[in-house]
Amino acid sequence: MIVHVASETEVSLLTQFNGDMKRLEVISVKARVPAITLNKFIEQEAFIIQMQSMFLDTPDKAIVMQVSGNVEDKTVAAYGDDGVSQKATIKTGLANVEDVIVPNPVRLQPFRTFHEVGQQEIDFVFRMKNSSNGVACALFEADGGAWKFRAVHEIAEYLKDKLADVENIAILS
């Protein structure tokens, strides 16, 4: 038998070659992961809900939540945009506002693979802009997809550990 870790969200169990030199797929499982909106701007409220419900708590998540949740409409300072960081005016009290630097890159852990192996910490570029509906926020992947390779490797290692006592099984990733 062969366990094939096909991707960060799919694992299959295959038989040995049959008489036609083909393998039969005994079972295939897919991770249930939420549809996270990345690489495009979304409205502030949808962004905040997504951050709260689809990302693990990390120090950078807290910063992104603070900045995105407290920024005022029409205060994303494009003049402070140097291509790496942005400046935004956030509410800091009942009547106080202050300029803050929007952090970049941010390291976040979205739910994107099997929960048993843990979620990959990924670099994202966090951006905000004024839009016709107020402030819009976005996370852009900044690791070139390397997290997928790490996730596949972790799934394979997890399965090797859990199936160590099983004879005649190979794990491919």
Side-chain angles (χ1 to χ4, degrees):
M1 302 293 271
I2 295 174
V3 175
H4 179 220
V5 182
S7 72
E8 71 282 359
T9 60
E10 188 173 351
V11 177
S12 299
L13 178 64
L14 308 169
T15 65
Q16 62 187 9
F17 286 120
N18 62 19
D20 295 335
M21 295 303 290
K22 295 183 180 180
R23 298 181 188 277
L24 298 177
E25 184 176 83
V26 177
I27 191 167
S28 180
V29 295
K30 289 189 177 194
R32 292 183 181 163
V33 296
I36 300 173
T37 302
L38 297 173
N39 305 316
K40 74 178 203 175
F41 285 91
I42 59 176
E43 292 183 12
Q44 182 181 23
E45 184 176 359
F47 180 82
I48 292 168
I49 291 168
Q50 176 174 275
M51 289 296 299
Q52 289 177 334
S53 61
M54 300 180 195
F55 289 76
L56 291 171
D57 290 332
T58 64
D60 281 1
K61 175 186 171 183
I63 294 167
V64 169
M65 292 292 299
Q66 179 186 17
V67 172
S68 63
N70 290 307
V71 71
E72 295 179 330
D73 189 17
K74 305 296 182 202
T75 59
V76 178
Y79 62 83
D81 188 341
D82 64 6
V84 177
S85 59
Q86 283 182 301
K87 188 187 293 184
T89 303
I90 67 169
K91 295 178 272 188
T92 58
L94 291 176
N96 296 335
V97 293
E98 70 179 48
D99 284 347
V100 296
I101 301 298
V102 178
N104 272 303
V106 291
R107 293 189 61 74
L108 301 170
Q109 290 180 280
F111 293 110
R112 296 174 89 182
T113 189
F114 295 95
H115 291 272
E116 294 83 355
V117 297
Q119 304 305 306
Q120 293 292 312
E121 191 171 65
I122 304 164
D123 283 340
F124 290 94
V125 174
F126 171 53
R127 304 295 287 169
M128 297 185 303
K129 70 178 183 178
N130 293 318
S131 73
S132 59
N133 296 328
V135 174
C137 305
L139 291 172
F140 296 89
E141 292 180 286
D143 77 341
W147 73 271
K148 293 178 183 182
F149 297 108
R150 292 191 309 269
V152 167
H153 176 74
E154 284 188 24
I155 294 165
E157 290 302 311
Y158 174 85
L159 291 171
K160 285 177 187 174
D161 180 57
K162 294 298 181 185
L163 300 173
D165 296 338
V166 179
E167 293 181 21
N168 299 323
I169 194 160
I171 299 172
L172 303 176
S173 59

